[in-house]
Amino acid sequence: MFQLIMCTCPDISNAKLIAKHLIQEKLAACVNIIPNVISVYRWQDNIECDEEIQLIIKTQTDKFNDVASEIKRLHRYDTPEIIAMNIQQGDDSYLNWITESLK
């Protein structure tokens, strides 16, 4: 089975570092880096509003723990966003490409 893992980053350099590392280690087939995401959230009882970079990581479900571990190791936040959504359907050719990319 396949997943999209989402993670926000504080800046483009941290986003690129994580994305390149996940690809290099074959933990992800592709990582989209989406700049200029505005996040509004509560942190330590304050409402925050920050510009962040969104990562969308395409991988297999059995890679989740390794991906999460590497994000935590490389990320600058104390509690980075690491959430996964299972891909229920997808083009067979694309899903096969993900599988081949992670070998």
Side-chain angles (χ1 to χ4, degrees):
M1 196 186 295
F2 303 92
Q3 283 186 332
L4 298 178
I5 299 174
M6 299 182 67
C7 175
T8 51
C9 295
D11 56 48
I12 196 72
S13 63
N14 194 220
K16 285 181 178 179
L17 172 75
I18 292 168
K20 289 179 180 178
H21 178 75
L22 294 176
I23 299 296
Q24 181 179 359
E25 296 300 313
K26 295 189 176 186
L27 295 174
C30 176
V31 180
N32 298 116
I33 299 174
I34 304 170
N36 304 318
V37 172
I38 304 297
S39 296
V40 180
Y41 57 97
R42 185 177 302 277
W43 181 252
Q44 298 177 344
D45 215 25
N46 294 312
I47 295 176
E48 305 288 341
C49 184
D50 291 317
E51 186 173 305
E52 296 182 296
I53 311 298
Q54 181 74 58
L55 298 182
I56 301 176
I57 302 157
K58 288 114 179 182
T59 191
Q60 294 173 316
T61 54
D62 64 351
K63 304 273 187 194
F64 177 82
N65 289 335
D66 291 334
V67 169
S69 177
E70 290 303 295
I71 289 172
K72 289 177 187 177
R73 188 174 69 80
L74 297 169
H75 209 287
R76 295 201 345 240
Y77 291 165
D78 292 336
T79 307
E81 171 193 55
I82 306 170
I83 57 174
M85 295 174 280
N86 289 340
I87 298 172
Q88 294 184 346
Q89 286 185 305
D91 177 73
D92 288 339
S93 296
Y94 188 79
L95 298 178
N96 288 337
W97 171 78
I98 291 175
T99 299
E100 291 303 313
S101 296
L102 300 178
K103 287 184 177 176

